[in-house]
Amino acid sequence: MSSRLRGAETDRALLAKVARSYYLDAGSKVEIADSLGISRFRVARLLERALAEGVVQITINDDGLDDPVLSAELGEYLGLDECLVVRCYGDPDQVRAQVGGAAASLLSATLGEDEVLGLTWGRTLTATTSQLTSLPRCTVVQLTGSVSGELGSSPIEIVRQASQRAGGAVYPIFSPLFVDDALTAESLRQHPGIKLALDFFDEVTTAVMSVGSWDPQISQVPEVIPEADVRRARERGCVADIAGILIGADGKLVDPAFQERCVSISYAQLDAIPRVIAVASDAGKADAIRAVTCAGLVSSLVVDHGLAEALLAGERA
């Protein structure tokens, strides 16, 4: 081995020794300097080099923790009553799980006894209800019919999981979200089992919902409704869906006739709920979140920091 290589290895070994003594053994710079027979100023320079050259790599494990500064900034920007921004890392499923865990903790800590809790459907809500450890005794109501797709993320499964934690009455909706005509939808709404749930819509005090984006498409709704309805909604500027309600960038309904064919909470009923918590991840949903907050349909928000930064990008610019 050449003297140059030996010197490099010796130099790196010294960096590692100083770094280990400082970071792992909690030695002071003065103590390290005395033990090595060098000045404390050289120790400081060696520690700086250890970081710069990758001998020391510092990792901050803040996955799933809230960011109070970003939460306050986003809440003020969107005019929300409540905003929770979560520091999230990993793939989309991991981020969704971290956001869902934070939403579950928020709900468990703030939901009151004897409230009426309304729930929709989606992977983010599945990640939320699957991490609920406890809820005060309350009534749980399904706010939309079901769509085809994964059984685990269906609204029926979501209200089942929540009701197990709450221990109160539960009102599911055994109906599709949408049908081909308004008369069939109205007939379903009058079915005694379905009507039981619908009659509770005006009593809901807290609702927890996912938000779908149409541009870019981060939503299951365009995949399960007829192509003609998708085309018409896009032509009319649909950017978001929430509880099966199709929303434009201005926060208004884009296709009232389509909503007449849905078995779900109405725009007006959703707007009247005192506390609506939207739970979302993915920076691509920024325009969708703006739309539902612009409409005043959401009073509380739980999102990952990437989505929060995307929402604030225009304001900061």
Side-chain angles (χ1 to χ4, degrees), residues 166-197:
V170 56
Y171 295 92
I173 298 176
F174 294 101
S175 162
L177 170 63
F178 71 93
V179 291
D180 291 336
D181 61 85
L183 286 176
T184 302
E186 180 58 25
S187 177
L188 285 169
R189 294 187 199 105
Q190 296 306 316
H191 184 281
I194 296 172
K195 191 173 184 299
L196 275 175

Side-chain angles (χ1 to χ4, degrees), residues 46-306:
L46 290 169
L47 288 170
E48 290 175 359
R49 281 186 55 201
L51 280 169
E53 296 177 20
V55 173
V56 171
Q57 296 180 358
I58 297 176
T59 300
I60 299 174
N61 295 315
D62 60 350
D63 303 31
L65 298 179
D66 67 289
D67 185 324
V69 175
L70 199 53
S71 297
E73 183 180 3
L74 183 61
E76 182 178 1
Y77 170 58
L78 295 176
L80 298 169
D81 295 337
E82 185 177 42
C83 185
L84 180 60
V85 176
V86 186
R87 305 300 302 189
C88 296
Y89 304 94
D91 62 32
D93 286 339
Q94 291 171 319
V95 170
R96 193 178 297 115
Q98 291 162 40
V99 171
S105 296
L106 175 68
L107 191 61
S108 294
T110 59
L111 194 68
E113 191 86 17
D114 296 325
E115 282 203 52
V116 178
L117 172 64
L119 296 167
T120 58
W121 55 281
R123 290 175 295 176
T124 311
L125 256 63
T126 299
T128 300
T129 54
S130 65
Q131 296 181 77
L132 285 170
T133 56
S134 65
L135 285 176
R137 188 173 183 82
C138 64
T139 299
V140 179
V141 182
Q142 184 176 325
L143 297 179
T144 73
S146 300
V147 298
S148 59
E150 298 178 13
L151 180 61
S153 61
S154 75
I156 294 173
E157 175 61 16
I158 285 169
V159 297
R160 184 191 69 81
Q161 289 190 354
S163 65
Q164 286 183 327
R165 304 295 183 271
V170 56
Y171 295 92
I173 298 176
F174 294 101
S175 162
L177 170 63
F178 71 93
V179 291
D180 291 336
D181 61 85
L183 286 176
T184 302
E186 180 58 25
S187 177
L188 285 169
R189 294 187 199 105
Q190 296 306 316
H191 184 281
I194 296 172
K195 191 173 184 299
L196 275 175
L198 270 59
D199 286 346
F200 267 95
F201 285 177
D202 293 332
E203 307 300 321
V204 174
T205 54
T206 294
V208 185
M209 305 192 161
S210 59
V211 178
S213 167
W214 280 54
D215 185 21
Q217 185 176 314
I218 313 171
S219 171
Q220 290 178 286
V221 172
E223 299 173 3
V224 298
I225 66 175
E227 185 177 338
D229 291 315
V230 174
R231 184 170 59 253
R232 184 166 55 251
R234 292 193 187 282
E235 288 171 352
R236 296 180 181 185
C238 182
V239 299
D241 62 73
I242 181 169
I245 301 168
L246 309 184
I247 304 293
D250 59 0
K252 297 179 180 179
L253 283 174
V254 300
D255 191 351
F258 172 77
Q259 305 304 151
E260 291 297 318
R261 292 160 45 208
C262 292
V263 179
S264 65
I265 192 168
S266 70
Y267 186 104
Q269 287 172 317
L270 178 58
D271 188 43
I273 296 175
R275 185 189 187 204
V276 177
I277 305 171
V279 186
S281 63
D282 196 318
K285 289 188 175 182
D287 288 340
I289 296 296
R290 284 194 191 94
V292 297
T293 54
C294 170
L297 296 175
V298 169
S299 59
S300 305
L301 189 63
V302 182
V303 297
D304 66 286
H305 74 274

